[in-house]
Amino acid sequence: MQLADKNAELQTKILFERIREIPNKGIAFGQQDATMYGINWKPKTATSKLKSDIKEVSGKMPAIHGFDLGHIELGASSNLDTVSFDLIKNHVRKLNKKGAIITFSWHADNPKSMGTSWDTTSVVKTILKGGSERSKYESWVARLSTFFKSLKTSKGTPIPVVFRPFHEMNGNWFWWGEGNCTPEEYKELWRETFYLLKQNGVTNLLYAYAPNIMQSSEEFDLYYPGDDFVDILGVDIYNYGGREAFINNIQKNLAILKEKAIQKNKPFALTETGNVNSGSEPNWWTKSLYPGIENSGAAWVLLWRNARLDHYFSVYSEDISAPDFKEFARLDELLFLKKIRKINY
């Protein structure tokens, strides 16, 4: 299997093969910022033992760990969620050593307005080749590249990671989203960013393409930049409309991805999910999430972050769904860190 980056490190190729093998064993479980913070806690120091709400409840550490690089483009020391980039690097090294799989999103600011990712001021055309903000964008990708190249083990070996940029493009809430640029502009943005990263010497990335909930296979294709620029297929689905709609959405969308994945010979994943009404469904894990992902063929499912009591998407020790999560975590199909580390090439 040829990766998008033809010059990818051996470690990157090994990571890809590990990800392709996961569905033969089950589905890996992950969370965004799992060790960065949780409900009512943050790491005391960079040397603190890795902690997570997931582990506090189940005794098991997530297998997939997501982090965000928003504000790396600004030269900031912390990301948009006030997490130190140095702390992220520290945890990536620790988690990689334990066999975890790392994935990065990038909620970049709007290069034209300098508002957030959610500032939908039209900008994509201006950062493509020849655009008025092109030089600024190239400097942003250079900073992004420096960060990726800094991800190394204590022995100096590159740490391979999954990069999921410009996600949920079929929604209208990001500056790279539907209605804020054309599908062709979006695809060109993806390709040009890919080439800029390569020009900057980045060789430790697998590239993941992840729309929001899709209504059809054609919706997946609309923004897809091409097989030569993507390694992993994904989709982001949150529980907004109740249990039945949520299960149906996951099943339908993972079926679309599975069909595409077979055609393209690429793995696929549920790259973001969570219950927007966290704390209200005692059996959400076994009765809502698991029926959606069961026997789907997805490589992993990643829950969004536990930021605070009014904004969390997973579970914590006093959560109403904690007993159900323990049952969920015991399911044979679910793979946590201890099991995922055994999948090696």
Side-chain angles (χ1 to χ4, degrees):
M1 174 67 194
Q2 183 73 60
L3 299 187
D5 182 0
K6 309 301 187 290
N7 299 315
E9 300 280 347
L10 174 61
Q11 291 81 6
T12 313
K13 295 175 182 177
I14 291 171
L15 174 60
F16 182 76
E17 293 302 328
R18 288 185 71 205
I19 291 170
R20 290 221 297 179
E21 178 64 18
I22 290 172
N24 294 326
K25 311 290 185 182
I27 182 168
F29 183 86
Q31 189 188 13
Q32 183 79 2
D33 283 349
T35 61
M36 294 289 97
Y37 47 78
I39 301 302
N40 297 322
W41 66 268
K42 289 185 178 181
K44 290 184 174 62
T45 67
T47 59
S48 298
K49 185 177 179 181
L50 294 177
K51 178 180 179 178
S52 88
D53 284 339
I54 300 293
K55 187 176 181 182
E56 291 291 306
V57 172
S58 67
K60 300 177 181 182
M61 184 66 82
I64 313 294
H65 289 258
F67 301 95
D68 196 84
L69 294 175
H71 290 181
I72 196 78
E73 71 276 4
L74 307 179
S77 60
S78 298
N79 74 4
L80 76 167
D81 298 315
T82 71
V83 178
S84 156
F85 290 119
D86 284 341
L87 183 61
I88 290 175
K89 284 193 279 190
N90 178 289
H91 282 213
V92 166
R93 289 189 197 102
K94 289 180 180 178
L95 290 163
N96 176 72
K97 190 174 182 179
K98 292 177 180 291
I101 292 173
I102 310 299
T103 177
F104 281 100
S105 49
W106 184 28
H107 285 89
D109 277 1
N110 185 306
K112 187 174 183 179
S113 69
M114 297 306 294
T116 68
S117 289
W118 294 267
D119 182 329
T120 57
T121 300
S122 179
V123 65
V124 171
K125 187 179 289 188
T126 72
I127 60 178
L128 298 179
K129 286 181 180 177
S132 60
E133 304 295 337
R134 177 65 175 192
S135 60
K136 178 192 291 184
Y137 186 66
E138 288 185 1
S139 72
W140 284 14
V141 178
R143 288 172 177 153
L144 181 68
S145 302
T146 298
F147 178 87
F148 281 136
K149 290 189 290 186
S150 74
L151 298 177
K152 295 183 178 180
T153 67
S154 58
K155 296 180 179 179
T157 305
I159 296 174
V161 299
V162 176
F163 183 39
R164 185 175 60 99
F166 311 128
H167 62 302
E168 300 173 9
M169 75 300 297
N170 56 332
N172 63 4
W173 42 87
F174 293 130
W175 55 258
W176 57 81
E178 183 178 30
N180 306 319
C181 65
T182 67
E184 288 308 313
E185 287 169 346
Y186 175 87
K187 287 185 275 192
E188 192 58 31
L189 171 64
W190 183 289
R191 294 167 188 149
E192 290 187 13
T193 303
F194 172 87
Y195 284 126
L196 285 171
L197 287 163
K198 281 177 62 67
Q199 289 166 20
N200 286 322
V202 178
T203 55
N204 60 329
L205 303 186
L206 296 174
Y207 294 83
Y209 168 82
N212 194 56
I213 298 173
M214 301 171 286
Q215 300 305 315
S216 67
S217 176
E218 290 74 22
E219 191 171 348
F220 175 94
D221 295 332
L222 186 60
Y223 293 90
Y224 187 63
D227 292 345
D228 291 343
F229 301 90
V230 174
D231 298 299
I232 298 165
L233 314 181
V235 66
D236 297 355
I237 305 173
Y238 286 85
N239 181 20
Y240 286 102
R243 176 172 293 170
E244 185 176 346
F246 180 62
I247 294 171
N248 288 340
N249 279 331
I250 292 184
Q251 290 177 340
K252 177 181 177 179
N253 278 256
L254 291 184
I256 290 172
L257 285 192
K258 186 172 186 177
E259 181 182 4
K260 296 290 182 183
I262 291 171
Q263 292 171 359
K264 301 172 183 299
N265 194 24
K266 300 180 189 292
F268 67 98
L270 180 53
T271 41
E272 273 189 44
T273 192
N275 187 8
V276 294
N277 298 309
S278 292
S280 63
E281 292 186 56
N283 57 2
W284 187 77
W285 301 97
T286 60
K287 302 301 182 186
S288 293
L289 180 59
Y290 186 59
I293 63 176
E294 184 179 9
N295 297 320
S296 63
W300 74 77
V301 52
L302 184 131
L303 275 290
W304 203 238
R305 64 199 195 107
N306 279 11
R308 53 190 184 274
L309 282 171
D310 64 346
H311 187 82
Y312 74 99
F313 296 90
S314 184
V315 69
Y316 70 102
S317 56
E318 280 107 45
D319 187 56
I320 192 172
S321 72
D324 188 61
F325 185 83
K326 293 178 184 178
E327 183 179 339
F328 171 80
R330 287 193 292 266
L331 293 169
D332 288 340
E333 192 177 359
L334 269 293
L335 307 177
F336 287 79
L337 184 57
K338 189 175 180 180
K339 288 185 178 179
I340 204 77
R341 70 184 302 172
K342 296 177 182 177
I343 301 176
N344 287 310
Y345 273 80

